[in-house]
Amino acid sequence: MFTYFDHLECSACSRTWERNTLINLCPCGGPVLARYRLEEAARAMDRRSLPGHGLWRYHAVLPVESPERIVSLGEGMTPLLRADRLGRRLGLDALSIKNEALNPTGAFKDLGFSVAVSRAAELGVKEVAVPSAGNAGSAAAAYAARAGLQAHIVFPRDVPQAFILECRYYGAHVELVEGRINDAGKRVAEGCKKHGWFDLSTLKEPYRLEGKKYMGYHLAEQLDWVLPDVIVYPTGGGTGLVGMWKSFEEMETMGWIDSRRPRMVSVQAAGCAPIVRAFESGASRAEFWENAATIAAGLRVPGAVGDALMLRALRESQGTAVAVSDQEIIRGVEQLAQSEGIFACPETGAALAGLRQLVERGWVGRQERVVLFNTGSALKYLDVLGAESFGSGPR
Ligand SMILES: Cc1ncc(COP(=O)(O)O)c(C=O)c1O
């Protein structure tokens, strides 16, 4: 069998649907998740020799029914790099970087859109829409072009220029709105209602998460099925973190890993840190963050649909959430570039700054095995990075 995808289930109220239902959120407001017949999938898959390339080697635990419907640009074979020089600077003996910037459009968002666009096209969708802070727009537009679908991308007006240009080249219809990603989300919702576009907003459909969960599978594979002690991830809408958390549960059910889990760390920007605030106050939902502002566009998400799922993953993993300033973010970008030759996006600069804080506080121990995710390339942020007073030379 090509997939063991079984049914859809609401993460909040547990209502279920038949798997071929074209769905956005549950009427209760909860994100809907894909569920699989995992015991059967485990019997069918030899995890040590999965045929093919990248993400789609895991087709048995992905939702697409027919191999011909896969929309791929070769995503997923991203390296896990030892980062000893950076580790020494931070005071860590076993730091690695999972470099998702090597995906086709330069960010981890490709994984989600490869799956979501494949599945939308398989279910008959012709036009897709997404509000985006940057990278999600690029990925949606690229995969939609590859699938022959029309994409509608709505960005906040202050999005870095490269994203706008790139999406237009892919043939997407690009619209800029005043405000932030939630304002872009409202415009997408209007368009969907009026024109019948399918809404691919973060966690408002089940399948972007399925692509993101592959990061957990691939990481486990690269570490010979022993997960690290700590995973540090820059968090906006939260699909990266929640997707990996889902993969760990699936892999344990399939008998691929044991019950030990990494402590998951969500890093946000001090100018937009709703998850950090909710985590620290013990809340199960995050309140909307007014006047969100940070140079890390992907972290400028004042209200996330997946807040409850994120907070649950952080708490179940004994993880934490930290906020960092824009100055620390730039310093993180510089430090990663100078220590390891990786020119990463500001979101990753934030993750590095967050990790630094946690080492200084003693929350991460010297000998722990830590994986820091580089979620995207710096090259689309040159207008933002160039405007900052950085480049202080070798350190
Ligand atoms: C480079 C980058 N890193 C991290 C994030 C945050 O990802 P998520 O929304 O899955 O939390 C984004 C989202 O736009 C991003 O573009």
Side-chain angles (χ1 to χ4, degrees), residues 108-109 133 135 212 234-240 298-299 345 347 375-376 381:
F108 78 110
K109 301 278 182 185
N135 285 300
K212 305 285 177 61
T235 311
T239 46
L299 307 187
C345 58
E347 292 80 358
T375 48
Y381 293 81

Side-chain angles (χ1 to χ4, degrees), residues 106-109 132-136 163 181 202 208 212 215 233-242 268 297-301 310 345-348 374-377 381:
F108 78 110
K109 301 278 182 185
S132 170
N135 285 300
F163 295 111
I181 191 165
T202 299
R208 278 174 66 187
K212 305 285 177 61
M215 290 189 288
Y233 206 92
T235 311
T239 46
L241 213 127
V242 174
Q268 299 204 296
L299 307 187
R300 222 183 287 145
V301 182
M310 258 188 279
C345 58
E347 292 80 358
T348 301
N374 174 24
T375 48
S377 163
Y381 293 81

Side-chain angles (χ1 to χ4, degrees), residues 11 20 66 140 289 303:
S11 60
N20 286 322
S66 156
W289 189 279

Side-chain angles (χ1 to χ4, degrees), residues 243-281:
M244 276 192 277
W245 194 245
K246 183 171 189 279
S247 79
F248 300 152
E249 193 185 305
E250 291 181 1
M251 284 189 276
E252 187 182 350
T253 307
M254 292 195 288
W256 291 7
I257 59 168
D258 62 25
S259 61
R260 281 173 298 177
R261 294 284 187 278
R263 306 199 307 284
M264 307 297 279
V265 177
S266 156
V267 183
Q268 299 204 296
C272 180
I275 298 299
V276 179
R277 184 170 64 185
F279 182 82
E280 286 174 351
S281 72

Side-chain angles (χ1 to χ4, degrees), residues 104-138:
T105 77
F108 78 110
K109 301 278 182 185
D110 291 336
L111 301 166
F113 282 101
S114 178
V115 177
V117 169
S118 298
R119 188 66 179 145
E122 186 170 61
L123 293 175
V125 168
K126 301 281 181 249
E127 300 193 38
V128 293
V130 72
S132 170
N135 285 300
S138 295

Side-chain angles (χ1 to χ4, degrees), residues 280-297:
E280 286 174 351
S281 72
S284 58
R285 299 293 308 261
E287 272 177 48
F288 190 84
W289 189 279
E290 297 296 340
N291 304 317
T294 166
I295 58 158

Side-chain angles (χ1 to χ4, degrees), residues 34-56:
R35 298 294 186 201
Y36 299 81
R37 297 190 305 283
L38 292 169
E39 286 80 6
E40 285 176 54
R43 281 196 293 279
M45 290 168 88
D46 177 357
R47 69 186 157 135
R48 293 193 189 273
S49 65
L50 293 168
H53 182 84
L55 163 70
W56 291 98

Side-chain angles (χ1 to χ4, degrees), residues 50-59 62 72-78 103 111 114 214 217-218 221:
L50 293 168
H53 182 84
L55 163 70
W56 291 98
R57 292 173 303 144
Y58 286 86
H59 57 79
L62 292 172
S72 174
L73 288 163
E75 57 294 318
M77 278 325 236
T78 56
N103 276 303
L111 301 166
S114 178
Y214 166 79
Y217 279 97
H218 196 217
E221 183 186 340

